[in-house]
Amino acid sequence: MKKFKLPRLTGGLLLAGMILPTGAVQASDAETIIQNKCVACHTEEKAEPLQMSRMSHQRKTPEGWLMTIARMQVMHGLEVTDDERRTLVKYFADKQGLAPEETEGSRYAMERRLNTMESFESTSFEEMCSRCHSGARVKLQRRPASEWEHLVHFHLGQWPTLEYQAMSRDRDWMDLAFKQMVPELAADFPLQSASWDKWQSVKSVPVSGSWSFSAQIAGKGDVRGVMSVSGGKDDQYKVSIEGEYADGSALKGSGTAIVYTGYEWRANLAVDGVKMRQVFALSADGSELTGRMFEAVHDEAGMDFSAIRTGSKAKLLSIQPGYIRAGSTEVLTIVGAGLGTKISLGDGIKVVSEMYRDDNKVVVQVTANATAKPGSRDVKAGKAEGAVLNVYDQIDSVKVVPDFAVARVGGNGGSTPKYNAHFQAEAWMNGADGEPGTEDDMRIGFVPAKWHVEPFDAQAEADRDTHFAGRMDEKSGLFTTAGSGPNPERRMSTNNAGNLKVIAEVMEGANALSAEGQMIVTIQRWNNPPLP
């Protein structure tokens, strides 16, 4: 029997599979691979331009196409090299990708924000599609009605008990799938769209240059620095990144990147010895990058990231920290590009001195009057604007972010790493009504807190979940899960799962303000595709 080597399908490794084909990526190369490797199952419908059955009638993100090709390898015996797979992903993402507008509201799946709570207007969509995987996975593809119908058949063929499972057996699943869901999906996510037609006519913009960036990461807070990008042939780049955290510690790394569909930035980097990924979207004018940078193995550990190309335009990315107490003097860092010499922080806020300046940031010592009215102030540095400074006189309440999280055990030498949980304490000030939790409350920002966990309910207390599920770092808000596998010390030798309260405590003068969140610690993440 001929041996077949399965592709590496864990989430981080699969993401790595789409980065940087070796050498130039030409459409002719991909079409040659298609004609040599795909015609056994797909028929040629048109030669110029090449159109093949099924594959030419779908549009997806780079991750979506990677998953499709990997499925062809696993389920249908497609034999392609890693380079050939990368070439195909680049070809399909460029020719049959999604316009920027078509990814709005669903980018959290590509950016690996796996604690996102989904909500959809269509109850049918929730019951038929997002009960098994994220709704974003469906929304990040486009098909005509015939292809959505094929997808229903695929689900039945791959999972033949589907129509007898929960939320299926209590209704006419087949009738709903074909007569209700197929028309709905074809109408909401059609193959042809004005936004895609328009995007195809937009000229791609090279990404090379110097980029000023601002980021925020749980446990370490604000980050700023410079990302240098060089190259650009065949949309492939070299990347280096250098910056600092709020505590002054350095951040430094380098790697490679590729741009799909004219705006989908994907990069592999080693940052301070840790392998990391970048999933960004490039603005239409090529001046801004936004998205998330996260660890390759622990994608739950990451930072929200925004960058602006130096010299493109004057704009502020952030002011760090983004808040100041009335009557206090603080050191603030203004991050952006095209930073003018005249700094304006709004009423009641005075710049005492400018401590440092370069092309990407200005560090200033600032005093807020004791009588400064609480509220948001627009920040300006010459013509550069876009950041907001929150002025407050006291912290009235605190929230745990996220307020609900899922963590997973793992490790112990197995192939499934732990999925830890990161929490932040968000400070708020009451509005004019003096009541917390109302619409006129003002968000202050993330503040330091003391952290611990407690049993969520009586069952969690009886099962000693706080002892077995893992450990919370009281300073950083990082919960590290326990090892996986049956634990003979637990009742019925169960795994180290748990149902926990996450408690943040913030000191406001002599008073302790606290807030609660919930965390479910569960079993390993066995199935970890690029789009969950």
Side-chain angles (χ1 to χ4, degrees):
M1 179 180 292
K2 186 176 181 180
K3 292 184 178 180
F4 173 64
K5 183 180 179 181
L6 292 176
R8 303 165 77 185
L9 295 178
T10 56
L13 293 173
L14 190 50
L15 280 169
M18 68 171 60
I19 302 298
L20 285 179
T22 302
V25 181
Q26 303 293 335
S28 58
D29 297 333
E31 291 178 359
T32 298
I33 296 170
I34 291 170
Q35 290 175 331
N36 289 340
K37 301 290 183 75
C38 305
V39 293
C41 297
H42 298 270
T43 58
E44 184 176 318
E45 298 176 341
K46 187 178 179 181
E48 293 290 340
L50 180 64
Q51 283 195 343
M52 304 291 292
S53 63
R54 300 298 309 277
M55 64 176 69
S56 297
H57 304 288
Q58 303 176 28
R59 292 192 289 115
K60 302 177 183 179
T61 62
E63 288 82 1
W65 282 115
L66 180 60
M67 290 171 67
T68 294
I69 296 167
R71 179 165 51 84
M72 296 298 108
Q73 292 180 263
V74 172
M75 296 175 59
H76 301 292
L78 172 66
E79 295 188 5
V80 290
T81 65
D82 289 346
D83 264 354
E84 288 173 332
R85 184 171 63 240
R86 295 179 184 122
T87 299
L88 290 172
V89 170
K90 173 64 173 165
Y91 172 83
F92 282 116
D94 287 350
K95 301 292 184 181
Q96 296 166 225
L98 299 184
E101 295 88 346
E102 292 177 313
T103 69
E104 290 179 0
S106 299
R107 298 195 64 83
Y108 58 85
M110 294 184 283
E111 294 170 357
R112 311 297 290 174
R113 302 177 187 270
L114 300 187
N115 274 317
T116 300
M117 302 297 287
E118 293 186 316
S119 178
F120 305 104
E121 293 182 3
S122 171
T123 301
S124 298
F125 183 86
E126 289 185 339
E127 294 175 349
M128 298 289 283
C129 301
S130 64
R131 68 185 178 91
C132 293
H133 48 66
S134 71
R137 182 161 159 181
V138 182
K139 296 177 71 174
L140 289 173
Q141 54 183 299
R142 298 295 184 271
R143 303 166 182 254
S146 59
E147 276 300 321
W148 285 117
E149 187 171 312
H150 280 311
L151 190 63
V152 175
H153 285 295
F154 162 75
H155 277 71
L156 286 171
Q158 185 65 30
W159 300 282
T161 63
L162 179 64
E163 59 180 317
Y164 303 110
Q165 296 174 6
M167 302 186 77
S168 294
R169 60 178 176 266
D170 58 341
R171 66 203 69 194
D172 189 345
W173 190 91
M174 292 282 285
D175 194 63
L176 289 172
F178 288 111
K179 295 183 179 179
Q180 182 173 322
M181 284 312 303
V182 166
E184 180 179 320
L185 292 170
D188 292 342
F189 314 113
L191 181 66
Q192 303 298 328
S193 74
S195 57
W196 176 243
D197 291 341
K198 181 179 178 181
W199 180 252
Q200 287 182 290
S201 65
V202 174
K203 186 178 180 180
S204 61
V205 181
V207 193
S208 54
S210 177
W211 296 76
S212 174
F213 74 83
S214 172
Q216 203 278 336
I217 182 171
K220 289 191 173 182
D222 295 321
V223 191
R224 60 256 178 180
V226 177
M227 185 171 74
S228 301
V229 181
S230 61
K233 184 179 180 182
D234 304 311
D235 294 328
Q236 300 177 33
Y237 297 89
K238 291 184 178 180
V239 184
S240 64
I241 188 169
E242 190 167 353
E244 61 181 6
Y245 295 98
D247 63 3
S249 58
L251 174 148
K252 190 172 184 179
S254 61
T256 55
I258 186 169
V259 176
Y260 299 94
T261 330
Y263 73 99
E264 289 286 10
W265 169 280
R266 304 292 185 270
N268 285 344
L269 298 91
V271 179
D272 300 329
V274 178
K275 291 183 179 180
M276 302 194 77
R277 309 273 188 253
Q278 291 178 336
V279 177
F280 300 156
L282 179 69
S283 62
D285 64 0
S287 66
E288 298 182 57
L289 282 166
T290 56
R292 186 167 180 263
M293 184 165 78
F294 50 89
E295 292 185 19
V297 175
H298 288 281
D299 52 23
E300 74 277 13
M303 60 184 75
D304 293 330
F305 193 104
S306 61
I308 183 166
R309 193 198 305 260
T310 303
S312 60
K313 59 183 178 182
K315 183 176 180 178
L316 300 184
L317 295 173
S318 67
I319 182 166
Q320 301 177 353
Y323 53 83
I324 187 170
R325 187 189 293 265
S328 69
T329 298
E330 303 288 349
V331 175
L332 306 179
T333 301
I334 301 170
V335 184
L339 306 178
T341 57
K342 185 178 180 181
I343 306 296
S344 172
L345 301 177
D347 294 340
I349 314 298
K350 180 182 178 181
V351 176
V352 178
S353 65
E354 184 176 300
M355 305 172 66
Y356 178 83
R357 171 184 287 270
D358 60 28
D359 291 339
N360 307 286
K361 67 177 181 289
V362 179
V363 181
V364 291
Q365 188 178 46
V366 172
T367 294
N369 294 339
T371 57
K373 184 179 179 181
S376 298
R377 308 287 200 276
D378 291 329
V379 179
K380 296 181 181 179
K383 295 182 179 180
E385 53 187 35
V388 171
L389 178 66
N390 293 325
V391 180
Y392 72 102
D393 55 16
Q394 67 178 27
I395 298 174
D396 292 311
S397 62
V398 178
K399 295 181 181 179
V400 172
V401 178
D403 61 356
F404 180 85
V406 175
R408 296 179 180 274
V409 297
N412 292 341
S415 61
T416 55
K418 296 179 179 181
Y419 185 85
N420 299 316
H422 299 252
F423 297 92
Q424 293 176 283
E426 190 176 64
W428 287 75
M429 181 178 172
N430 293 343
D433 63 7
E435 297 293 329
T438 58
E439 291 185 358
D440 66 347
D441 289 0
M442 184 189 79
R443 178 186 182 275
I444 297 171
F446 293 123
V447 295
K450 187 176 180 180
W451 297 89
H452 72 279
V453 294
E454 297 177 1
F456 186 79
D457 53 23
Q459 187 62 59
E461 184 173 10
D463 289 341
R464 300 175 63 202
D465 286 354
T466 57
H467 177 74
F468 290 110
R471 295 291 179 268
M472 172 67 81
D473 185 295
E474 68 172 17
K475 292 184 178 180
S476 68
L478 167 63
F479 184 88
T480 302
T481 62
S484 59
N487 186 344
E489 295 183 24
R490 301 206 72 175
R491 183 169 60 92
M492 300 178 68
S493 295
T494 59
N495 213 321
N496 289 314
N499 186 6
L500 306 176
K501 286 182 184 178
V502 178
I503 313 293
E505 186 177 278
V506 174
M507 297 304 297
E508 173 60 13
N511 298 321
L513 303 175
S514 63
E516 293 183 3
Q518 183 182 6
M519 172 175 53
I520 300 294
V521 180
T522 187
I523 61 172
Q524 297 98 309
R525 191 168 62 182
W526 298 110
N527 187 10
N528 187 25
L531 293 178

